[in-house]
Amino acid sequence: VPGKPEPPLALVPLPKLMLAGELEAAATASAGALRRVVLPAERGPAESSLDWTGVTPDDQLTIRVDPGVTGTVSLYASFRRGPESASVQVLVNGRKVGDEVELAAPTATVGKFLIGPVALGPGPMTVTLVVTPSRAGAPQRVSLLALSLEK
């Protein structure tokens, strides 16, 4: 329903796939611009991404959600890769998780990345994407399609 707010993420138990619309509602950026973009679909319904543009190294995108679960889970992120894409380091609750994710690629593609295992306590979690210097040149954009937590 247009104009009706989406339900809070805390109401949805794991395994949970948080898509661009939910991420947009829970995200804040330290710099640059955030907007949801509909991607062309080759088959089936179109997907959307949360595009974060005008980014430079050390800019941060923070997403605060309540996963509704405790214990160790695997954090996955789906990104759009391309020539204008930046590299990011993922932090959960302020701690580095996994290796830097290089998103620069010669052509536009979409990929799902295992970020790493995350130990969750009760209550909300904060996922932060920190732009790192790109090996492919000056970063300009990060396009996030989804985050998922899997047991």
Side-chain angles (χ1 to χ4, degrees), residues 14-47:
L14 289 178
K16 172 66 177 140
L17 177 66
M18 295 168 271
L19 300 174
E22 295 169 305
L23 295 171
E24 181 180 34
T28 56
S30 65
L34 284 175
R35 68 185 178 112
R36 195 163 65 173
V37 175
V38 176
L39 303 175
E42 295 177 7
R43 295 181 216 96
E47 292 183 322

CSV table of all heavy atoms in Angstrom, one decimal, residues 14-47:
chain,number,residue,atom,x,y,z
A,14,LEU,N,14.9,-15.3,11.5
A,14,LEU,CA,15.8,-16.0,10.6
A,14,LEU,C,15.3,-17.3,10.1
A,14,LEU,O,14.5,-17.9,10.8
A,14,LEU,CB,17.2,-16.1,11.3
A,14,LEU,CG,17.9,-14.9,11.5
A,14,LEU,CD1,19.2,-15.2,12.2
A,14,LEU,CD2,18.2,-14.1,10.2
A,15,PRO,N,15.7,-17.9,9.0
A,15,PRO,CA,16.6,-17.2,8.1
A,15,PRO,C,15.9,-16.0,7.4
A,15,PRO,O,14.8,-16.1,7.0
A,15,PRO,CB,17.0,-18.3,7.1
A,15,PRO,CG,15.9,-19.2,7.1
A,15,PRO,CD,15.3,-19.2,8.5
A,16,LYS,N,16.6,-14.9,7.3
A,16,LYS,CA,16.0,-13.7,6.9
A,16,LYS,C,16.8,-13.1,5.7
A,16,LYS,O,18.0,-13.0,5.8
A,16,LYS,CB,16.0,-12.7,8.0
A,16,LYS,CG,15.6,-11.3,7.7
A,16,LYS,CD,14.2,-11.2,7.2
A,16,LYS,CE,13.8,-9.8,6.9
A,16,LYS,NZ,13.0,-9.7,5.7
A,17,LEU,N,16.1,-12.8,4.7
A,17,LEU,CA,16.7,-12.1,3.5
A,17,LEU,C,16.2,-10.7,3.6
A,17,LEU,O,15.0,-10.4,3.5
A,17,LEU,CB,16.3,-12.8,2.2
A,17,LEU,CG,16.8,-12.1,1.0
A,17,LEU,CD1,18.3,-12.2,0.9
A,17,LEU,CD2,16.1,-12.8,-0.2
A,18,MET,N,17.1,-9.7,3.8
A,18,MET,CA,16.7,-8.3,3.8
A,18,MET,C,17.0,-7.7,2.5
A,18,MET,O,18.1,-7.6,2.1
A,18,MET,CB,17.5,-7.6,4.9
A,18,MET,CG,17.2,-8.1,6.3
A,18,MET,SD,18.3,-7.5,7.6
A,18,MET,CE,19.5,-8.9,7.5
A,19,LEU,N,15.9,-7.3,1.8
A,19,LEU,CA,16.1,-6.8,0.4
A,19,LEU,C,16.2,-5.3,0.4
A,19,LEU,O,16.1,-4.6,1.5
A,19,LEU,CB,14.8,-7.2,-0.4
A,19,LEU,CG,14.6,-8.7,-0.6
A,19,LEU,CD1,13.3,-9.0,-1.3
A,19,LEU,CD2,15.8,-9.3,-1.3
A,20,ALA,N,16.5,-4.7,-0.7
A,20,ALA,CA,16.8,-3.3,-0.9
A,20,ALA,C,15.8,-2.3,-0.2
A,20,ALA,O,16.2,-1.4,0.5
A,20,ALA,CB,17.0,-2.9,-2.3
A,21,GLY,N,14.5,-2.6,-0.2
A,21,GLY,CA,13.5,-1.7,0.4
A,21,GLY,C,13.7,-1.7,1.9
A,21,GLY,O,13.6,-0.6,2.5
A,22,GLU,N,13.9,-2.9,2.5
A,22,GLU,CA,14.1,-3.0,3.9
A,22,GLU,C,15.4,-2.3,4.3
A,22,GLU,O,15.5,-1.6,5.4
A,22,GLU,CB,14.0,-4.4,4.4
A,22,GLU,CG,12.7,-5.1,4.2
A,22,GLU,CD,12.8,-6.6,4.4
A,22,GLU,OE1,13.6,-7.2,3.7
A,22,GLU,OE2,12.0,-7.1,5.2
A,23,LEU,N,16.4,-2.6,3.5
A,23,LEU,CA,17.7,-2.0,3.9
A,23,LEU,C,17.7,-0.5,3.8
A,23,LEU,O,18.3,0.2,4.6
A,23,LEU,CB,18.8,-2.5,2.9
A,23,LEU,CG,19.1,-4.0,3.0
A,23,LEU,CD1,19.9,-4.5,1.8
A,23,LEU,CD2,19.7,-4.4,4.3
A,24,GLU,N,17.0,0.1,2.8
A,24,GLU,CA,16.9,1.5,2.7
A,24,GLU,C,16.3,2.1,3.9
A,24,GLU,O,16.7,3.2,4.4
A,24,GLU,CB,16.1,1.9,1.4
A,24,GLU,CG,15.9,3.3,1.2
A,24,GLU,CD,15.1,3.6,-0.1
A,24,GLU,OE1,14.1,2.8,-0.4
A,24,GLU,OE2,15.4,4.6,-0.7
A,25,ALA,N,15.2,1.5,4.5
A,25,ALA,CA,14.5,2.0,5.6
A,25,ALA,C,15.4,2.0,6.9
A,25,ALA,O,15.2,2.7,7.8
A,25,ALA,CB,13.2,1.2,5.9
A,26,ALA,N,16.4,1.1,6.9
A,26,ALA,CA,17.2,0.9,8.1
A,26,ALA,C,18.6,1.5,8.0
A,26,ALA,O,19.5,1.3,8.8
A,26,ALA,CB,17.3,-0.6,8.4
A,27,ALA,N,18.9,2.1,6.8
A,27,ALA,CA,20.3,2.6,6.5
A,27,ALA,C,20.5,4.1,6.7
A,27,ALA,O,19.6,4.9,6.4
A,27,ALA,CB,20.6,2.2,5.1
A,28,THR,N,21.7,4.4,7.1
A,28,THR,CA,22.2,5.8,7.2
A,28,THR,C,23.6,5.8,6.6
A,28,THR,O,24.4,4.9,6.8
A,28,THR,CB,22.2,6.4,8.6
A,28,THR,OG1,23.0,5.6,9.4
A,28,THR,CG2,20.8,6.5,9.1
A,29,ALA,N,23.9,6.9,5.8
A,29,ALA,CA,25.2,7.0,5.2
A,29,ALA,C,25.9,8.2,5.8
A,29,ALA,O,25.3,9.3,6.0
A,29,ALA,CB,25.1,7.2,3.7
A,30,SER,N,27.2,8.1,6.0
A,30,SER,CA,28.1,9.2,6.5
A,30,SER,C,28.3,10.2,5.4
A,30,SER,O,28.6,11.4,5.7
A,30,SER,CB,29.4,8.7,7.0
A,30,SER,OG,30.2,8.1,6.0
A,31,ALA,N,28.2,9.8,4.2
A,31,ALA,CA,28.4,10.7,3.0
A,31,ALA,C,27.8,10.1,1.8
A,31,ALA,O,27.4,8.9,1.8
A,31,ALA,CB,29.9,10.9,2.8
A,32,GLY,N,27.7,10.8,0.7
A,32,GLY,CA,27.2,10.3,-0.5
A,32,GLY,C,25.6,10.3,-0.5
A,32,GLY,O,25.0,10.8,0.4
A,33,ALA,N,25.0,9.7,-1.5
A,33,ALA,CA,23.6,9.7,-1.6
A,33,ALA,C,23.1,8.2,-1.7
A,33,ALA,O,23.7,7.4,-2.3
A,33,ALA,CB,23.2,10.4,-2.9
A,34,LEU,N,21.9,8.0,-1.0
A,34,LEU,CA,21.3,6.7,-1.0
A,34,LEU,C,20.0,6.7,-1.8
A,34,LEU,O,19.2,7.7,-1.6
A,34,LEU,CB,20.9,6.2,0.4
A,34,LEU,CG,22.0,5.7,1.3
A,34,LEU,CD1,21.5,5.5,2.7
A,34,LEU,CD2,22.6,4.5,0.7
A,35,ARG,N,19.8,5.8,-2.7
A,35,ARG,CA,18.5,5.7,-3.4
A,35,ARG,C,18.3,4.2,-3.9
A,35,ARG,O,19.3,3.5,-4.1
A,35,ARG,CB,18.4,6.6,-4.6
A,35,ARG,CG,19.3,6.3,-5.7
A,35,ARG,CD,19.3,7.4,-6.8
A,35,ARG,NE,20.2,7.0,-7.9
A,35,ARG,CZ,19.9,6.7,-9.1
A,35,ARG,NH1,18.6,6.6,-9.4
A,35,ARG,NH2,20.8,6.4,-10.0
A,36,ARG,N,17.0,3.8,-4.0
A,36,ARG,CA,16.7,2.5,-4.5
A,36,ARG,C,16.6,2.5,-6.0
A,36,ARG,O,15.9,3.4,-6.5
A,36,ARG,CB,15.5,2.0,-3.8
A,36,ARG,CG,15.3,0.5,-4.0
A,36,ARG,CD,14.4,-0.1,-3.1
A,36,ARG,NE,13.0,0.3,-3.3
A,36,ARG,CZ,11.9,-0.1,-2.7
A,36,ARG,NH1,12.1,-1.1,-1.8
A,36,ARG,NH2,10.8,0.3,-3.0
A,37,VAL,N,17.2,1.6,-6.7
A,37,VAL,CA,17.2,1.5,-8.1
A,37,VAL,C,16.7,0.2,-8.6
A,37,VAL,O,17.1,-0.8,-8.1
A,37,VAL,CB,18.7,1.7,-8.7
A,37,VAL,CG1,18.7,1.6,-10.2
A,37,VAL,CG2,19.2,3.1,-8.3
A,38,VAL,N,15.8,0.2,-9.5
A,38,VAL,CA,15.2,-1.1,-10.1
A,38,VAL,C,16.2,-1.5,-11.2
A,38,VAL,O,16.6,-0.8,-12.1
A,38,VAL,CB,13.8,-0.9,-10.7
A,38,VAL,CG1,13.4,-2.2,-11.3
A,38,VAL,CG2,12.9,-0.5,-9.6
A,39,LEU,N,16.7,-2.8,-11.0
A,39,LEU,CA,17.6,-3.3,-12.0
A,39,LEU,C,16.9,-4.0,-13.1
A,39,LEU,O,15.8,-4.6,-12.9
A,39,LEU,CB,18.6,-4.3,-11.3
A,39,LEU,CG,19.3,-3.8,-10.1
A,39,LEU,CD1,20.1,-4.9,-9.5
A,39,LEU,CD2,20.3,-2.7,-10.6
A,40,PRO,N,17.4,-4.0,-14.3
A,40,PRO,CA,16.7,-4.7,-15.4
A,40,PRO,C,16.7,-6.2,-15.2
A,40,PRO,O,17.7,-6.7,-14.7
A,40,PRO,CB,17.6,-4.4,-16.7
A,40,PRO,CG,18.8,-3.6,-16.2
A,40,PRO,CD,18.6,-3.3,-14.8
A,41,ALA,N,15.6,-6.8,-15.4
A,41,ALA,CA,15.5,-8.3,-15.2
A,41,ALA,C,15.5,-9.0,-16.5
A,41,ALA,O,14.8,-8.7,-17.4
A,41,ALA,CB,14.2,-8.6,-14.4
A,42,GLU,N,16.4,-10.0,-16.5
A,42,GLU,CA,16.5,-10.9,-17.7
A,42,GLU,C,15.3,-11.9,-17.7
A,42,GLU,O,14.8,-12.3,-18.7
A,42,GLU,CB,17.8,-11.6,-17.8
A,42,GLU,CG,18.9,-10.6,-18.0
A,42,GLU,CD,20.3,-11.3,-18.1
A,42,GLU,OE1,20.3,-12.5,-18.1
A,42,GLU,OE2,21.3,-10.5,-18.1
A,43,ARG,N,15.0,-12.4,-16.5
A,43,ARG,CA,14.0,-13.4,-16.4
A,43,ARG,C,13.2,-13.0,-15.1
A,43,ARG,O,13.8,-12.7,-14.1
A,43,ARG,CB,14.5,-14.8,-16.2
A,43,ARG,CG,15.2,-15.3,-17.4
A,43,ARG,CD,15.7,-16.7,-17.1
A,43,ARG,NE,17.0,-17.0,-17.7
A,43,ARG,CZ,18.2,-16.8,-17.2
A,43,ARG,NH1,18.3,-16.5,-15.9
A,43,ARG,NH2,19.3,-17.0,-17.9
A,44,GLY,N,11.9,-13.1,-15.1
A,44,GLY,CA,11.1,-12.9,-13.9
A,44,GLY,C,11.0,-11.4,-13.5
A,44,GLY,O,11.4,-10.6,-14.3
A,45,PRO,N,10.6,-11.2,-12.3
A,45,PRO,CA,10.4,-9.8,-11.8
A,45,PRO,C,11.7,-9.1,-11.6
A,45,PRO,O,12.8,-9.7,-11.4
A,45,PRO,CB,9.7,-10.0,-10.5
A,45,PRO,CG,10.0,-11.4,-10.0
A,45,PRO,CD,10.2,-12.2,-11.3
A,46,ALA,N,11.7,-7.8,-11.8
A,46,ALA,CA,12.9,-7.0,-11.6
A,46,ALA,C,13.3,-7.0,-10.2
A,46,ALA,O,12.5,-7.1,-9.2
A,46,ALA,CB,12.6,-5.5,-12.1
A,47,GLU,N,14.6,-6.9,-9.9
A,47,GLU,CA,15.2,-6.7,-8.6
A,47,GLU,C,15.5,-5.3,-8.4
A,47,GLU,O,15.6,-4.5,-9.4
A,47,GLU,CB,16.5,-7.6,-8.5
A,47,GLU,CG,16.2,-9.0,-8.5
A,47,GLU,CD,17.6,-9.8,-8.3
A,47,GLU,OE1,18.6,-9.3,-8.8
A,47,GLU,OE2,17.5,-10.8,-7.7
